[in-house]
Amino acid sequence: MSQTERERVKTEFRCGYVALGGVPNVGKSTLLNRLVAEKLAITSPKPQTTRHRLLGIVHLPRAQLLFMDMPGIIDPGCLLNESLVNTALGTLKDADVVVWLVTPQETAAESRVILPHIRLLAKPVVIAINKIDTIPKLEILPLIKLYHSLLPEAPVTPVAALTGDGLPHLLTEIINLLPKAPPLYPDDQLTDQTERFLAAEFIRERVFHHTAEEIPYAAAVQLEEFDEKDRPRLIRLRAVIYVERESQKAIMIGKKGARLKAIGQEARIDLEILLGCKVYLELWVKVWKNWRKDPRALKELGYLIS
């Protein structure tokens, strides 16, 4: 590449923050992982799995896209959900571009929860209709027309985060709306989160997969030890899974410790991939009564920022 071409690329380079917004369970975390080509965000079939803002960085020759996964926007109930909604709304405000992620199964009532917030932003928006692999192709065009009528100025693009279908076009639409700016992160960095944070999240993901009803939402994971003195041979982790009641603790542990053992075994596999070495994982279950309604607990567990 000549000096002139390098200068032209430099002046045309685009970089900015892109919020992945929507109601719970529309595939925001799956989309982030697919775009980054790395598992950063935890996923589960249960709604409201995401509890924090999570940055995933996509590096392209002429753009750096800083995708922000975030909790789904819902009508808050407990103090935890109120904190999650505040995190989501703050993420929308911090973005240069908003991707409003919807699904064919989304109801009008669900869309109305987030649409007023998006209209108030006065920021560029791209509407991504996710999970198009779950419906006949003939049903896609009416959905495009529907969402175009809600936000006429926003491009609407169908995608399938699970398969990657439609993502190149989505990236093009986003890049066209990003500001011209130099990259903010080195080209080998995929997130701004620490390994400690991701480790705790990977454990919580296994909790979501192995429990049902209220248990996943009443569970929080706190990493108490991250001992890497023997790295790269071994990293020792100790984590506490907090629940709100003794009955939930018994369910989490399972008969003769079977459920907790399964959670630990599966989490260790993911952690070894993440950390690139063997992991010794020790899990404990403790009761923190009504932690979702306790400001002190939420602050200590990282859900309230003072």
Side-chain angles (χ1 to χ4, degrees):
M1 184 182 292
S2 68
Q3 180 67 26
T4 302
E5 289 173 322
R6 283 195 293 269
E7 288 300 318
R8 183 170 60 83
V9 170
K10 185 177 179 181
T11 56
E12 291 179 354
F13 198 90
R14 293 176 182 265
C15 178
Y17 288 92
V18 184
L20 301 177
V23 297
N25 221 27
V26 292
K28 298 183 293 296
S29 299
T30 301
L31 178 60
L32 179 80
N33 290 342
R34 170 66 67 168
L35 291 167
V36 179
E38 189 82 20
K39 179 177 177 177
L40 296 177
I42 66 172
T43 62
S44 88
K46 299 179 177 68
Q48 210 67 357
T49 302
T50 301
R51 290 179 179 171
H52 299 271
R53 176 191 303 193
L54 177 63
L55 182 70
I57 306 169
V58 174
H59 304 275
L60 298 175
R62 298 190 179 186
Q64 187 179 81
L65 299 92
L66 312 176
F67 285 100
M68 298 183 293
D69 189 16
M70 63 186 195
I73 295 179
I74 58 174
D75 292 322
C78 64
L79 187 58
L80 171 63
N81 284 345
E82 183 179 329
S83 172
L84 300 188
V85 171
N86 288 338
T87 296
L89 295 179
T91 302
L92 290 176
K93 291 177 183 177
D94 291 341
D96 297 296
V97 176
V98 173
V99 174
W100 178 20
L101 209 62
V102 299
T103 70
Q105 295 78 24
E106 189 165 316
T107 66
E110 288 174 321
S111 292
R112 282 196 292 268
V113 172
I114 188 172
L115 187 56
H117 299 292
I118 291 178
R119 283 176 168 157
L120 286 173
L121 288 173
K123 292 185 178 184
V125 177
V126 177
I127 302 174
I129 305 175
N130 191 25
K131 305 184 182 181
I132 59 167
D133 51 326
T134 64
I135 60 170
K137 290 185 178 181
L138 290 175
E139 295 181 14
I140 297 175
L141 185 58
L143 286 170
I144 294 175
K145 291 181 178 179
L146 168 64
Y147 283 101
H148 181 69
S149 70
L150 295 177
L151 282 179
E153 70 280 7
V156 183
T157 178
V159 301
L162 201 59
T163 64
D165 190 24
L167 296 193
H169 181 67
L170 174 63
L171 287 172
T172 298
E173 294 285 7
I174 296 169
I175 292 169
N176 289 339
L177 297 172
L178 286 177
K180 291 182 179 180
L184 294 177
Y185 292 90
D187 57 13
D188 60 348
Q189 186 170 345
L190 296 180
T191 185
D192 61 349
Q193 287 291 359
T194 65
E195 290 179 332
R196 291 183 65 103
F197 170 86
L198 294 175
E201 285 289 274
F202 282 14
I203 296 167
R204 190 168 65 84
E205 180 182 50
R206 293 299 98 199
V207 170
F208 263 71
H209 279 266
H210 279 276
T211 55
E213 304 301 333
E214 180 72 3
I215 305 296
Y217 306 103
V221 176
Q222 187 174 52
L223 208 63
E224 292 194 332
E225 182 181 358
F226 191 97
D227 181 357
E228 51 183 334
K229 65 176 180 293
D230 294 324
R231 195 171 188 172
R233 185 179 64 85
L234 178 71
I235 293 179
R236 294 178 176 85
L237 305 181
R238 184 175 68 246
V240 175
I241 302 172
Y242 286 106
V243 292
E244 293 186 311
R245 300 190 300 273
E246 287 291 340
S247 59
Q248 294 170 344
K249 178 179 178 180
I251 293 171
M252 186 71 68
I253 294 172
K255 187 176 181 180
K256 296 183 179 180
R259 179 171 287 110
L260 187 62
K261 182 179 179 181
I263 290 170
Q265 287 175 335
E266 292 180 13
R268 181 173 53 79
I269 293 171
D270 288 339
L271 292 170
E272 289 181 343
I273 295 172
L274 170 71
L275 302 172
C277 67
K278 291 291 184 181
V279 169
Y280 174 79
L281 176 61
E282 185 179 0
L283 292 179
W284 296 88
V285 182
K286 296 182 180 179
V287 175
W288 195 332
K289 189 176 181 180
N290 295 327
W291 67 263
R292 286 181 291 176
K293 300 177 182 178
D294 183 346
R296 181 178 67 87
L298 292 174
K299 184 176 180 181
E300 183 170 327
L301 293 169
Y303 296 122
L304 280 183
I305 307 299
S306 58

